[in-house]
Amino acid sequence: MKKKIALIPFILIALFFTILYIILAAKPLHKDYQFTPVWKINTANPAVDDVQDLSKQYYFHLGQTAGYFTEDGKITCFRTFPAKVSISDSYFALYNTDASNTDFFTSNGEKAGVIKGAGYPFIVEDSIFRFLPGGSSFAKCDAGGETLWLYEGVIPITAFSTKENFCTAGFANGSIKVYDNKTGNIESDFVPGGSDYPVILGLDISNDGLYIASISGHDRQRFVLSHKESNQQKIIFHTFLEKETSSRTLVHFCNDNERVLYCCQDSIGIYNIKTQENFFINMESKIISIEESDDFVFLLGKNQSNYTVFLIDKTNTLEGLFSFEAQSAFINCDNNNLFIGSDTSISRIAITKE
C-alpha cells in the first residue's frame, strides 16, 4: 500500500506535464482547399449576351476564336478570325502577316481606334504596342492607336515585358533595355552575360521597375536577377541551368514582388527575393502560361496535345496537378476563381478553404 501511495505524486506530475504539453503543442488543423466546379459554357457558335453591366470581363482565345465572358458564364463578345489575334481584358485586335493600320476594339466589341503604321499589334492589359517589320523596332501607342514614341534598332528583339510604368526588351545580342512607358527614354541598358552565345530568351520586370529577371544565353544558359542601383542594374543572383532550352521561355514576377518564376527545360525555378532561396520543381511540360489567384500560382503546361495545370502555393510546394487532352487551351484567375478553356468550352472553378 505504501508503494502505491508513493507512486501517486509521480503519476500526478506526469499527468500534469502531459496535459501541459498537449495545450502548448496544439495547433489548429490545416485547412484544405476545395475546388468546386461552378459552370461550363460552350464557345462553339455561342449566343452572345447583351450584358449591361460590363464592369468585369475576362478574355479568351481558343484556336481561331476569341472573345470575352463574365464571371457568371455569359459570353459578351465573340469573334472568329483566319490569322492572328492580340487580346487582353481591355482590348483586342485581329491581324494578319502583313498587318498595317490595324483596327482594335474594346472588350464589348466597339471600335476603339486604329493602330497606325505597319507592324504587329501587341496588347497587354490596357497597354498597346506595335512591333515593326523586321523585328528590331517597336512603338508605344496611346488609347486611340497613335504612336506615343518609337524605338528603332537593328538587333532582333527576342523577349519583351511591360508593366504600368516601364517596359523592357531583350535582344539577340544578349542586351536588355528598360524604357519609360510615358516617354520612351531608355532608363537602363545592360548585358547579363555569362554565356558563349548571348541571347535573351525570357524576360520580366517587377511592378516597381527595380528588378529585372531573365533567362539568357547558350553554353551555358543561366537565370539572372538584377536590381537597379544608382541608375545601373546590379546582378544580385544568378544560377546556371542544368538543361538548356532553345526557344523563348517565360519569366514571371509574382504580384507581391517577392518571388520570381522562371521556366526551364523540364522544370520551373522559383527564387525568393526576400529570403534569397532558390527552388526547382520538376514538371514534364513546356509552361505556356502563368496566372495567380489569392493563394496559388497556376501554370499551364503543354506536351503535344496534353495540357497540364499545376498548382503551386506560397510555400513553393506543388500542391497538385491535373491534365486534359485538347488542341488549344488557356487558364485565367481572378480572386478565388480559376477559369479553364479547352477547345470549345470554358469552365469556372471556385477555390475555397474548408
Side-chain angles (χ1 to χ4, degrees):
M1 180 65 67
K2 291 182 179 180
K3 289 184 179 180
K4 289 183 178 180
I5 294 175
L7 288 175
I8 289 176
F10 295 100
I11 295 173
L12 293 175
I13 292 172
L15 181 61
F16 169 77
F17 280 106
T18 300
I19 295 172
L20 182 64
Y21 173 79
I22 293 172
I23 293 173
L24 295 178
K27 294 182 179 179
L29 293 175
H30 175 71
K31 292 184 178 180
D32 292 327
Y33 288 92
Q34 301 294 325
F35 294 80
T36 306
V38 179
W39 50 252
K40 183 177 182 179
I41 56 177
N42 193 296
T43 60
N45 299 318
V48 177
D49 288 283
D50 184 16
V51 179
Q52 298 300 317
D53 181 14
L54 296 180
S55 58
K56 184 60 178 178
Q57 296 180 95
Y58 309 91
Y59 75 88
F60 71 88
H61 174 203
L62 291 168
Q64 299 305 121
T65 65
Y68 295 85
F69 63 94
T70 62
E71 186 176 354
D72 56 359
K74 295 178 181 178
I75 300 291
T76 59
C77 181
F78 180 79
R79 294 288 190 275
T80 60
F81 54 93
K84 298 178 180 294
V85 63
S86 183
I87 188 169
S88 73
D89 284 344
S90 300
Y91 302 111
F92 71 94
L94 311 176
Y95 64 100
N96 51 35
T97 54
D98 58 350
S100 180
N101 295 324
T102 304
D103 294 338
F104 70 103
F105 305 84
T106 62
S107 58
N108 60 8
E110 296 180 356
K111 185 175 177 179
V114 179
I115 301 174
K116 299 292 180 64
Y120 297 155
F122 181 70
I123 301 173
V124 180
E125 297 179 352
D126 59 355
S127 295
I128 304 167
F129 294 87
R130 173 172 56 91
F131 282 80
L132 279 63
S136 58
S137 305
F138 69 95
K140 178 73 164 58
C141 303
D142 64 15
E146 298 286 347
T147 298
L148 287 174
W149 52 264
L150 174 66
Y151 168 78
E152 293 183 286
V154 295
I155 307 299
I157 299 169
T158 55
F160 187 82
S161 174
T162 183
K163 295 295 168 63
E164 182 178 357
N165 296 317
F166 302 94
C167 65
T168 180
F171 296 85
N173 65 352
S175 65
I176 294 174
K177 291 178 170 53
V178 178
Y179 309 82
D180 184 299
N181 262 339
K182 294 181 180 179
T183 64
N185 292 336
I186 297 177
E187 298 291 315
S188 62
D189 186 353
F190 75 107
V191 178
S195 304
D196 289 344
Y197 305 98
V199 60
I200 306 300
L201 296 171
L203 181 66
D204 198 15
I205 186 169
S206 61
N207 291 327
D208 56 14
L210 296 178
Y211 293 92
I212 295 176
S214 65
I215 289 182
S216 61
H218 292 289
D219 193 23
R220 302 174 63 190
Q221 196 167 90
R222 68 174 184 162
F223 167 76
V224 175
L225 178 67
S226 66
H227 182 258
K228 186 176 182 181
E229 298 180 9
S230 302
N231 294 322
Q232 292 184 338
Q233 290 292 330
K234 178 181 178 181
I235 294 176
I236 59 175
F237 175 78
H238 84 94
T239 184
F240 289 103
L241 307 182
E242 292 185 4
K243 293 185 178 180
E244 297 192 357
T245 179
S246 58
S247 59
R248 293 180 182 178
T249 189
L250 293 179
V251 179
H252 172 81
F253 278 97
C254 290
N255 294 334
D256 58 10
N257 271 349
E258 287 189 2
R259 293 183 298 167
V260 56
L261 282 64
Y262 54 101
C263 300
C264 315
Q265 188 76 15
D266 300 331
S267 66
I268 185 166
I270 306 173
Y271 181 75
N272 190 306
I273 299 174
K274 188 174 182 179
T275 64
Q276 300 182 357
E277 295 177 292
N278 193 45
F279 306 86
F280 284 97
I281 299 176
N282 294 327
M283 44 189 65
E284 296 180 359
S285 294
K286 177 179 174 58
I287 302 303
I288 61 173
S289 180
I290 300 174
E291 298 287 340
E292 291 184 66
S293 70
D294 293 342
D295 299 300
F296 287 101
V297 175
F298 293 91
L299 302 98
L300 180 63
K302 182 181 181 183
N303 188 349
Q304 296 181 352
S305 63
N306 181 266
Y307 287 87
T308 302
V309 179
F310 301 90
L311 293 72
I312 298 175
D313 67 10
K314 292 183 177 181
T315 66
N316 303 318
T317 301
L318 181 62
E319 290 285 353
L321 58 89
F322 58 90
S323 300
F324 56 92
E325 294 289 326
Q327 296 303 310
S328 61
F330 78 88
I331 58 172
N332 199 348
C333 289
D334 185 45
N335 297 322
N336 284 317
N337 287 318
L338 171 64
F339 303 103
I340 302 173
S342 173
D343 288 339
T344 58
S345 68
I346 302 173
S347 301
R348 172 189 165 193
I349 298 175
I351 307 168
T352 57
K353 288 182 181 179
E354 294 278 333

